[in-house]
Amino acid sequence: DVKVTQSSRYLVKRTGEKVFLECVQDMDHENMFWYRQDPGLGLRLIYFSYDVKMKEKGDIPEGYSVSREKKERFSLILESASTNQTSMYLCASSFPSRQREGRQETQYFGPGTRLLVL
Amino acid sequence: AQKITQTQPGMFVQEKEAVTLDCTYDTSDQSYGLFWYKQPSSGEMIFLIYQGSYDEQNATEGRYSLNFQKARKSANLVISASQLGDSAMYFCAMREPFVAGNNRKLIWGLGTSLAVNP
C-alpha cells in the first residue's frame, strides 16, 4: 500500500528558529515534492526533487531549502522561520515522467504538517 | 500557459444524491493528464481518479467518474450516491506538458468545497 509519512502533524515554532520538516515514502518513487497550502491560494510548489541530491525550485522557494540524501527521504528546511510561513505543508511523491504516460505520475501525499510560527 | 479553473467555491448536495464538480483546463498540448484529489478536514490529499487525454473512455473508480469533454476542455468529477464522508475539498489538477528530460509538475485548481447534508 502507498505510504508517505511526515514527521509531525502539528508544529509550533518561534520566529527566527530553524525548522526541519521530514518526509519519508516507501514506494521507491524517484520524485518527491513539497507544497504549502493556504486558504484561497490552493497548493503552491516550494521545491521538488527527481533524484537523490537533485532538486529544482518550484513556484515559491524563497525562505526555504531542501535536502535529499536518500531516495526515500526529502526534507524541507526553513532557515529562519517567519510568521508568514505559518501554513499547511504537504509532501508528495511519484514516479518520474515517462514519455506520454501519465497515470504513473500520480502524486501520493502525506498527512500534512500544520506549522504555526509565533 | 496551462491553467486549471474550478468555478464552484462551494457546493451542497443531499445524501444519496449525485453531484458534479466542475473543472475546466487550458492547454495547447495534445497529450495531457487530469487528476482529481479529495482533501478531508484532516488535511491529507487523497488521489481519486485519473483521465488521460488519449483515453477513449471516461475514467471510473467506484462511485467516482469523470465526465471528460475534450472539445470543451472540461473534466468534471461526478460523485454518485453521495455519503456524509464525501464532505471535503476537491481539487482538479493537470500535469505539465512533456518535455524530454524534464520531470513534470502538476498544475492545480483552487478547489471546490463539498458539503453533504443528511
Side-chain angles (χ1 to χ4, degrees):
Chain A
D1 202 13
V2 166
K3 195 70 175 176
V4 180
T5 57
Q6 294 183 229
S7 48
S8 305
R9 292 299 300 269
Y10 300 92
L11 210 51
V12 181
K13 295 292 181 181
R14 298 241 174 242
T15 302
E17 279 192 76
K18 191 168 186 176
V19 181
F20 293 86
L21 302 182
E22 301 279 328
C23 176
V24 178
Q25 51 94 5
D26 65 358
M27 296 165 286
D28 204 33
H29 284 163
E30 284 87 345
N31 291 354
M32 296 189 74
F33 307 83
W34 274 107
Y35 294 91
R36 67 175 281 176
Q37 183 179 24
D38 301 286
L41 297 179
L43 272 77
R44 293 180 292 167
L45 182 65
I46 305 171
Y47 268 98
F48 74 101
S49 169
Y50 50 91
D51 203 349
V52 175
K53 297 193 188 293
M54 306 302 285
K55 61 185 179 185
E56 277 196 29
K57 293 180 180 178
D59 301 316
I60 50 163
E62 297 78 20
Y64 303 94
S65 62
V66 290
S67 172
R68 189 146 180 222
E69 297 297 319
K70 293 185 177 181
K71 188 176 185 180
E72 67 270 19
R73 188 178 298 268
F74 191 34
S75 302
L76 179 69
I77 303 151
L78 286 64
E79 297 290 344
S80 177
S82 63
T83 55
N84 63 14
Q85 291 178 310
T86 291
S87 187
M88 170 71 140
Y89 290 88
L90 292 162
C91 174
S93 70
S94 77
F95 288 115
S97 309
R98 296 266 190 259
Q99 294 287 334
R100 303 295 181 182
E101 296 171 21
R103 184 180 300 272
Q104 66 180 11
E105 295 173 60
T106 299
Q107 292 185 18
Y108 295 94
F109 284 79
T113 297
R114 296 182 193 271
L115 173 66
L116 172 63
V117 182
L118 299 173
Chain B
Q2 288 72 33
K3 188 179 179 183
I4 290 283
T5 303
Q6 294 181 256
T7 56
Q8 307 151 314
M11 290 278 288
F12 292 93
V13 66
Q14 211 61 30
E15 194 178 8
K16 299 180 185 176
E17 290 184 353
V19 62
T20 297
L21 306 183
D22 294 343
C23 172
T24 58
Y25 57 91
D26 189 13
T27 181
S28 57
D29 198 43
Q30 295 302 307
S31 173
Y32 51 88
L34 296 150
F35 302 80
W36 275 94
Y37 285 82
K38 171 185 177 181
Q39 187 180 39
S41 58
S42 59
E44 184 174 356
M45 295 284 279
I46 302 165
F47 167 68
L48 294 178
I49 197 166
Y50 169 82
Q51 178 83 45
S53 59
Y54 292 121
D55 293 343
E56 293 185 356
Q57 307 232 336
N58 285 347
T60 60
E61 293 284 349
R63 293 187 300 111
Y64 304 107
S65 61
L66 216 148
N67 183 0
F68 182 48
Q69 298 188 43
K70 203 167 176 177
R72 292 186 173 187
K73 293 190 175 178
S74 74
N76 299 337
L77 178 71
V78 181
I79 306 174
S80 63
S82 297
Q83 301 172 356
L84 296 178
D86 293 335
S87 295
M89 284 289 293
Y90 289 82
F91 291 90
C92 181
M94 178 173 64
R95 69 169 195 268
E96 288 183 323
F98 180 80
V99 176
N102 249 356
N103 273 284
R104 291 182 286 198
K105 303 185 288 293
L106 292 182
I107 300 153
W108 293 84
L110 293 181
T112 295
S113 177
L114 176 67
V116 180
N117 296 326

